[in-house]
Amino acid sequence: MTSISDAPAGEAEKTEGLHWLRYAGVFALLFLFGTETFLVSPLLPTISEDIKVSEAAAAASVTAYVLVYAVAAPFLGLLSDRFGRRRALLAGTVLFVVSNAAAALSTGLELLVISRAVAGLAAAAAGPAIWAHIAETSADRVRGRALGLGMALFSCGQVVGVPLGGLLAGAAGWRSAFWAMAIGTAVVVPLLLRQVRPSAVPGVQVGALKGVLAGWGEPTLRKALLVNTAFHAANLGAYTFLGALLVRRFELSVEALGLVGVLVGAGSVIGSLLGGRLGDRARAAGRTDLPLLGLWGLLLAVGIAVAAKGPGLVLALAGITVWFVASGGFVTDQQTLAGTAAPELRATSSAWLTSTMYAGTGLGAWAVGAFTDVSTGSLTVGVGLALVAAVGSLLLSAGVRRSAVSRPAAQE
């Protein structure tokens, strides 16, 4: 397999440490993407009242964003792998500006839904290209930290950006939140032009469908994607009902649930940064088998169990924090794996991680929702699938370790 890089040969090796300013453009974009993911949710009542549709109808704009992203990402990731990060990233960023401006100008449901679908398409083009760009232009010894910092900023967008968007919408109307997103993204474009260099077009070309599915033909990536599906079926499937669970158990108010969201975000940020740093230390010690991947699955199981059935609110909140530390660490490790297992498929592999995450979320939410009691459902489905993901992660790590041992032997 050949490696594709946007940077000149050897640049990554010449970078001795993590100089985050050289990634300021893509990090800012990740923050904005994190904000965009859940921006509509707190604005639904205001939007539905203004454009005179039901909240359920307005929620179709959320579905449009997620669905288009999940379906389009692998195909657009392949374009990034074929034609370079810069083109995919810039095209997605410009489309993101246009889509948010269109949302701000929406006077009816049709344009709003279309604009959100276009925003999903834009994020699907730029997102995988960002992760691939970070993976291939950062030195091996700081790659985990670079990816972890990117994931932490994405989480910060969800925790900080969404409330800021809500405050702005409350002060100046819901359209102002989308105008802020459009303007903020436009400001990032000059940074991207300076920091993301043109890349060479790879020499190997395959058919579109074959290229999109190529990651599933690589054993390590195939196993990682299956583990990813199980992990997020537990993680985000159970999270779908976390608010209902806490209201049922502790009768929390809406304001209190908002503060729980801060814990969720803080746990994700800590886990992302911790996962990146610990992963880099493991690789520096000669471990390339993602030794912590199984641990994140076990911590997820513990966190969900304590949140669902642990005695007392304080212990439940501690469980939620552990839950999302595990989530942040796992996602960072998975992005590291996607960036190294098949270098010529970096963006496509990253895109499949997102698509299987959404697939797992839908599967897990359906399974938890099948229980009449959300605590029991979260405990049964969340903990059960988290343990499945932990076992799968251990087997995946063992396979990576065996491959690393057999490669030198084969070369001899």
Side-chain angles (χ1 to χ4, degrees), residues 1-257:
M1 290 184 173
T2 56
S3 178
I4 302 168
S5 176
D6 285 301
E11 181 180 334
E13 290 75 16
K14 292 177 184 177
T15 303
E16 295 182 357
L18 173 56
H19 303 292
W20 69 269
L21 282 175
R22 70 188 290 241
Y23 296 109
V26 293
F27 283 163
L29 202 55
L30 284 171
F31 177 85
L32 291 167
F33 284 169
T35 301
E36 184 87 358
T37 305
F38 298 116
L39 181 63
V40 172
S41 298
L43 306 181
L44 274 180
T46 306
I47 292 174
S48 63
E49 182 179 356
D50 185 60
I51 64 176
K52 297 178 175 55
V53 297
S54 67
E55 289 187 17
S61 61
V62 178
T63 304
Y65 180 90
V66 173
L67 185 61
V68 169
Y69 191 120
V71 173
F75 293 92
L76 297 177
L78 176 63
L79 292 181
S80 173
D81 285 331
R82 281 187 173 183
F83 302 113
R85 314 304 174 209
R86 182 184 170 96
R87 293 178 182 177
L89 221 167
L90 290 174
T93 303
V94 171
L95 202 58
F96 201 64
V97 173
V98 172
S99 65
N100 276 286
L105 294 169
S106 299
T107 56
L109 182 62
E110 293 79 7
L111 181 56
L112 179 63
V113 171
I114 291 171
S115 70
R116 298 297 296 157
V118 174
L121 192 68
I130 288 175
W131 296 118
H133 168 70
I134 295 172
E136 63 199 8
T137 58
S138 57
D140 182 66
R141 72 183 192 87
V142 295
R143 183 170 296 129
R145 273 172 280 178
L147 291 167
L149 182 54
M151 190 59 63
L153 285 165
F154 182 84
S155 298
C156 281
Q158 296 174 342
V159 178
V160 178
V162 171
L164 285 177
L167 289 173
L168 184 60
W174 65 269
R175 289 181 173 82
S176 64
F178 289 104
W179 280 123
M181 290 294 298
I183 294 168
T185 307
V187 169
V188 173
V189 173
L191 271 176
L192 296 176
L193 288 170
R194 290 181 57 191
Q195 295 180 339
V196 181
R197 301 184 181 184
S199 60
V201 177
V204 179
Q205 300 287 329
V206 295
L209 183 59
K210 185 177 180 181
V212 168
L213 298 177
W216 290 91
E218 212 285 333
T220 299
L221 285 176
R222 181 172 62 250
K223 293 171 186 174
L225 293 173
L226 292 173
V227 168
N228 197 61
T229 304
F231 185 94
H232 287 298
N235 174 30
L236 298 178
Y239 178 64
T240 302
F241 295 91
L242 180 59
L245 185 153
L246 293 174
V247 169
R248 185 78 58 85
R249 292 195 66 199
F250 305 110
E251 300 181 351
L252 294 188
S253 65
V254 173
E255 291 78 10
L257 290 176

Side-chain angles (χ1 to χ4, degrees), residues 270-286:
I270 292 169
S272 299
L273 297 174
L274 186 64
R277 183 169 293 276
L278 293 178
D280 286 341
R281 286 184 179 179
R283 282 187 295 280

